């Protein structure tokens, strides 16, 4: 799929360990800075119990979940905006992803070095934010210079760009990410979007905690500090023990429930990481079901029936006639499409229908 989530953070916070657990790709994870040089990429299935239950009902030849693309990006250090460490490469990689999972170290371990010599989640986040903000300051400054020149001829868009950039620069200079900046009106929104600022990307935090505090996060001051920071940005935090998740990922599927129970977990923390990234990107899932295949499809929230059909094939959207829709719980409850139709649970929807997360859809089309 075309949606991607970059895994970022300082060196040695657990990015590659998390990535290894997330995907089948085995990224190198070592105890020294810049172990990750080229970004590792993994296509990760989005866990969905609805898909599993429909597969049990239909017993299809194949079951295909939807997925999200995770990119493990090199660790960032102070001065990255000026090219320190692998800064230029990091910034180029992060520009290409749709959203960011910012891994922050929230555990003490004298055997794992910290690039700054101490564990301080708030300071670590500020280091990353500062470097990204500095790079965005360069971008906004260049846009402001161009807008000032072109606005002399009375261009209303460029005048709006001047106003936007003059307000945005002090915001970034103070270390605040662009995603917390208030844009005024559609014209400014368009200009803001076209600048493709690094700190404008949707971001959530992954608090990498020790196994000893995973069941009692209130006792972890590092995690509590990160949570407070995230709340100030209206961001989410997912607690996870990357080392433990790595062990879970190595187990055979049938052995995982017992291991999870022994660790006091209902499900792998990775599932929450995946779902949070999926939700952050404004995505949702609809399903198709039959004897040959049960499949989940990724669409943006608010997508219409023809747009959802186009994800399967462009011909479906171009020749869209109607959509036969059943709510997934109704399908499981009644046991078949025929019984859902008899009970009035199968609806015929047209071009204006907005597909819901969890709809089971069959499209009629003609080209």
């Amino acid at each position: 799929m075309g949606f991607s989530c970059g895994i970022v953070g300082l060196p040695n916070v657990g990015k590659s360990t998390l990535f290894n657990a997330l995907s089948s790709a085995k990224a190198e994870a070592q105890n020294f800075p810049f172990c990750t040089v080229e970004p590792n990429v993994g296509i990760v299935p989005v866990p969905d119990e609805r898909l599993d239950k429909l597969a049990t009902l239909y017993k299809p030849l194949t079951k295909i979940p939807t997925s999200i693309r995770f990119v493990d990006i090199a660790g960032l250090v102070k001065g990255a905006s000026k090219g320190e460490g692998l800064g230029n490469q990091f910034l180029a990689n992060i520009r290409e992803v749709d959203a960011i999972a910012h891994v922050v170290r929230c555990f003490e371990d004298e055997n794992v070095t910290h690039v700054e010599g101490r564990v301080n989640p708030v300071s670590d986040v500020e280091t990353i934010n500062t470097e990204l903000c500095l790079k965005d300051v360069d971008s906004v400054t260049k846009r402001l210079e161009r807008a000032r020149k072109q606005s002399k001829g009375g261009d209303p868009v460029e005048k709006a760009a001047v106003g936007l950039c003059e307000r945005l620069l002090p915001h970034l200079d103070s270390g605040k990410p662009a995603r917390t900046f208030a844009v005024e009106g559609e014209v400014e929104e368009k200009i803001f979007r076209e600048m493709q600022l690094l700190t404008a990307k949707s971001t959530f935090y992954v608090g990498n905690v020790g196994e000893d505090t995973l069941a009692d996060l209130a006792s972890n001051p590092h995690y509590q500090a990160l949570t407070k920071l995230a709340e100030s940005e209206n961001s989410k935090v997912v607690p996870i023990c990357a080392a433990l998740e790595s062990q879970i990922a190595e187990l055979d599927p049938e052995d995982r429930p017992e291991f999870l129970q022994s660790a006091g977990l209902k499900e792998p923390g990775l599932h929450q990481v995946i779902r949070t990234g999926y939700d952050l990107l404004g995505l949702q899932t609809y399903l198709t079901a039959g004897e040959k295949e049960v499949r989940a499809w990724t669409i943006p929230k608010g997508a219409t029936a023809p747009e959802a059909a186009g994800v399967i094939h462009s011909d479906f959207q171009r020749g869209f006639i109607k959509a036969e829709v059943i709510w997934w719980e109704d399908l499981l409850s009644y046991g078949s499409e025929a019984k859902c139709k008899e009970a009035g649970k199968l609806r015929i929807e047209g071009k204006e229908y907005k597909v819901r997360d969890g709809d089971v859809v069959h499209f009629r089309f003609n080209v």
Side-chain angles (χ1 to χ4, degrees):
M1 59 175 290
F3 300 99
S4 60
C5 184
I7 302 175
V8 306
L10 292 177
N12 290 353
V13 297
K15 299 187 317 305
S16 294
T17 301
L18 175 65
F19 177 83
N20 284 344
L22 273 168
S23 74
S24 57
K26 294 300 179 184
E28 186 177 0
Q30 298 292 339
N31 183 23
F32 57 87
F34 309 125
C35 177
T36 301
V37 178
E38 293 296 330
N40 299 292
V41 177
I43 307 300
V44 182
V46 177
D48 194 331
E49 66 170 0
R50 301 169 302 188
L51 185 71
D52 298 333
K53 290 179 178 179
L54 286 173
T56 300
L57 175 65
Y58 279 86
K59 297 179 175 56
L61 297 175
T62 57
K63 179 182 72 172
I64 304 176
T66 187
S67 61
I68 187 168
R69 180 174 176 263
F70 279 96
V71 183
D72 177 26
I73 300 174
L76 187 72
V77 295
K78 288 181 179 178
S81 60
K82 304 300 181 184
E84 292 294 326
L86 296 172
N88 290 330
Q89 185 171 329
F90 175 99
L91 296 166
N93 294 149
I94 202 172
R95 198 178 294 279
E96 296 172 1
V97 300
D98 301 301
I100 297 170
H102 186 162
V103 182
V104 185
R105 178 172 169 175
C106 297
F107 66 90
E108 297 280 356
D109 188 340
E110 61 183 17
N111 295 316
V112 180
T113 59
H114 189 290
V115 71
E116 296 290 342
R118 81 286 177 271
V119 179
N120 187 328
V122 174
S123 178
D124 290 355
V125 170
E126 288 175 349
T127 295
I128 297 267
N129 281 347
T130 296
E131 295 305 320
L132 297 181
C133 283
L134 286 172
K135 196 67 177 178
D136 282 348
V137 165
D138 290 341
S139 299
V140 176
T141 299
K142 291 176 182 177
R143 182 65 180 92
L144 177 59
E145 291 173 355
R146 178 159 63 90
R148 282 173 173 166
K149 290 179 182 178
Q150 297 181 355
S151 64
K152 292 179 180 178
D155 188 321
V157 173
E158 295 304 315
K159 283 186 176 181
V162 170
L164 170 64
C165 292
E166 286 180 344
R167 298 195 333 271
L168 182 54
L169 277 175
H171 181 89
L172 293 170
D173 271 328
S174 66
K176 297 176 182 177
R179 62 181 175 274
T180 64
F181 178 77
V183 177
E184 300 174 359
E186 292 183 5
V187 175
E188 281 197 358
E189 175 66 36
K190 186 173 184 295
I191 298 167
F192 182 83
R193 192 167 54 249
E194 288 174 347
M195 285 192 283
Q196 295 183 313
L197 301 176
L198 298 175
T199 62
K201 292 182 181 292
S202 297
T203 299
F204 71 99
Y205 296 101
V206 178
N208 188 10
V209 303
E211 188 175 350
D212 57 331
T213 63
L214 184 59
D216 184 18
L217 296 172
S219 68
N220 186 325
H222 298 313
Y223 181 78
Q224 294 304 315
L226 177 62
T227 299
K228 187 175 180 180
L229 172 67
E231 288 175 351
S232 71
E233 297 181 357
N234 197 28
S235 299
K236 294 182 178 180
V237 182
V238 179
I240 197 170
C241 176
L244 182 64
E245 295 295 329
S246 185
Q247 294 177 48
I248 295 171
E250 293 291 337
L251 294 173
D252 291 330
E254 60 268 22
D255 296 330
R256 291 175 187 173
E258 183 178 350
F259 186 89
L260 287 168
Q261 186 177 10
S262 67
L265 299 173
K266 293 181 179 179
E267 65 174 356
L270 296 176
H271 287 189
Q272 190 177 354
V273 172
I274 295 168
R275 285 195 298 264
T276 301
Y278 196 74
D279 185 60
L280 192 68
L281 290 168
L283 306 176
Q284 65 179 19
T285 301
Y286 79 89
L287 306 133
T288 53
E291 293 181 357
K292 290 185 177 180
E293 177 186 274
V294 170
R295 183 164 181 169
W297 300 89
T298 298
I299 56 173
K301 292 178 180 178
T304 62
E307 290 168 340
V311 174
I312 299 177
H313 197 286
S314 58
D315 284 349
F316 282 33
Q317 181 170 2
R318 184 160 53 92
F320 177 88
I321 298 173
K322 63 181 180 180
E324 298 176 358
V325 182
I326 305 173
W327 182 240
W328 74 278
E329 288 179 313
D330 289 337
L331 185 51
L332 290 174
S333 177
Y334 286 90
S336 71
E337 294 175 23
K339 290 181 179 179
C340 283
K341 187 174 183 180
E342 289 175 7
K345 298 297 183 180
L346 186 153
R347 307 187 317 277
I348 304 300
E349 302 288 357
K351 293 182 177 181
E352 302 303 316
Y353 177 69
K354 292 184 178 180
V355 177
R356 298 177 299 171
D357 185 80
D359 276 344
V360 181
V361 187
H362 181 69
F363 295 105
R364 298 293 184 184
F365 70 101
N366 183 37
V367 290

